[in-house]
Amino acid sequence: MTGARAGRSWSADLELLVGAAQAAGARAMEFFGNSPEVWWKNEGRSPVSAADFAANDILKKELLSARPNYGWLSEETDDDAARLDCETVFVIDPIDGTRAFIAGLDVWCVSAAVVHRGRPVAGVLVAPALGEVFSAIADGPALKNGAPLQIAPAEEGRATRVAAAQDMLSNMDLSGLGEVERIAHVPSLAYRLAMVADGRIDATLVKRNSHDWDLAAADLILSRAGGGLATLEGAALFYNRPEVSHGILCAAGLERLSRFVRASHTLSGH
C-alpha cells in the first residue's frame, strides 16, 4: 500500500472525502453561471471567486470535524506550518479550474485528498457540472462514477494524444514517441490528469509551479488506473513539504511514462 501504514484501510477516509467534496460541489453549483464575485491574488495573476471560498468552508468544516487530528492544506486557506508536524493531512482545492468556472465552462472540479507520510492515500475529484466523480484509495482501484478505470495499452498505429502547451511540445525530443497529436487546452489541471486516467488523453505535461492541491488527488487516481505522475527525473512526487509548488511534470500510462519522461528532458531549463 503506497505510503500507508501496513494493515490500515483508507476507505472510511475516502467515503468522508467523497461526501464532503460532493457537498462542496453542490454549493459551488449555486454560483456557477451566476457571475460570482471575483478577487485577484498572487499580484493579480490568479482569480478566486465567492464559490471557491464557500466550497472551501464546507470542506474544512466537514473534514476537520471528522478528523481533527489531520493537518490542513488548501489553496484558499492561509497556510499553517503546523501541518508539517502531522503524519496525515487533507490537501484541498475547492475549485480546480477557477478561470473556467468564472467563464461558465464546465471543466472544473473539487479536488480533495488525504496525504499520509507524503503520499496520497485517498482522493476524489468531483466535477458537478459534468456529473462525474473520480476516486481512489491506495490499495484499491481507481473509479469513475463507480466503474473501474484501467489505462489501456498503446494502440499500434495511433498517434499519441498529448495535452501540452505548444511551446513546451515544440521543445521536446519527440523522436521516441512516434506520431503526436496535440490536445486542446484543458482548463483544470486535476481534471486533465483524470483524463489520462480514463484514456481520453495519453500523456500530459504540467508546467512548473503547480501545487500540492492541484495534484494530490489526481496523482493517486492516475496511479491506481495504471499511470504515473513524475518529475523530469522520473521521480514520484511527495506532498506536505514546506514548499508546496513543483517543477515541470510528466503524466502518462506506465507503458508510456518512461519514454515521455525521456522525451521531456530537453525542458529542464524551460
Side-chain angles (χ1 to χ4, degrees):
M1 185 187 304
T2 303
R5 186 183 292 113
R8 178 167 178 177
S9 172
W10 298 97
S11 56
D13 280 28
L14 179 60
E15 184 177 353
L16 175 65
L17 287 178
V18 171
Q22 288 179 323
R27 181 74 177 102
M29 285 296 289
E30 296 175 15
F31 294 85
F32 186 53
N34 291 317
S35 302
E37 189 171 2
V38 175
W39 301 267
W40 290 85
K41 56 185 181 178
N42 301 327
E43 299 179 348
R45 296 191 302 270
S46 180
V48 58
S49 74
D52 293 83
F53 291 129
N56 190 69
D57 289 346
I58 288 174
L59 289 159
K60 190 171 186 181
K61 179 181 178 182
E62 294 203 9
L63 296 176
L64 288 182
S65 64
R67 302 285 191 273
N69 60 318
Y70 284 14
W72 179 262
L73 175 62
S74 168
E75 181 175 13
E76 309 308 346
T77 306
D78 289 340
D79 195 9
D80 182 356
R83 66 179 171 80
L84 298 173
D85 297 323
C86 297
E87 188 174 58
T88 310
V89 180
F90 290 116
V91 179
I92 304 296
D93 191 344
I95 297 180
D96 186 83
T98 297
R99 289 178 185 272
F101 181 94
I102 293 167
L105 304 176
D106 55 10
V107 183
W108 55 274
C109 61
V110 179
S111 174
V114 171
V115 166
H116 179 70
R117 298 178 181 174
R119 287 292 296 162
V121 291
V124 63
L125 302 176
V126 174
L130 296 169
E132 295 175 352
V133 177
F134 297 83
S135 64
I137 55 174
D139 59 349
L143 303 174
K144 179 181 180 181
N145 290 351
L149 291 176
Q150 187 63 46
I151 296 174
E155 297 177 29
E156 189 173 348
R158 181 175 65 74
T160 299
R161 298 162 299 181
V162 177
Q166 184 60 60
D167 62 332
M168 296 181 79
L169 205 58
S170 298
N171 282 283
M172 288 176 64
D173 176 8
L174 301 176
S175 58
L177 295 179
E179 184 183 356
V180 170
E181 175 190 351
R182 180 172 174 263
I183 299 298
H185 176 63
V186 179
S188 162
L189 171 53
Y191 190 81
R192 187 183 354 140
L193 294 172
M195 291 174 70
V196 179
D198 75 6
R200 284 177 284 170
I201 295 174
D202 296 315
T204 188
L205 284 170
V206 179
K207 288 186 173 182
R208 65 177 71 252
N209 294 323
S210 60
H211 295 83
D212 282 11
W213 47 75
D214 304 310
L215 302 168
D219 185 351
L220 179 62
I221 291 163
L222 178 58
S223 72
R224 299 311 300 169
L229 177 65
T231 68
L232 291 182
E233 293 73 41
L237 276 61
F238 283 86
Y239 301 94
N240 193 36
R241 308 164 305 159
E243 176 57 62
V244 299
S245 63
H246 299 267
I248 296 173
L249 306 173
C250 303
L254 290 180
E255 183 183 354
R256 287 188 172 92
L257 184 59
S258 60
R259 282 182 291 150
F260 196 58
V261 167
R262 285 196 299 271
S264 304
H265 77 277
T266 52
L267 298 174
S268 57
H270 194 76

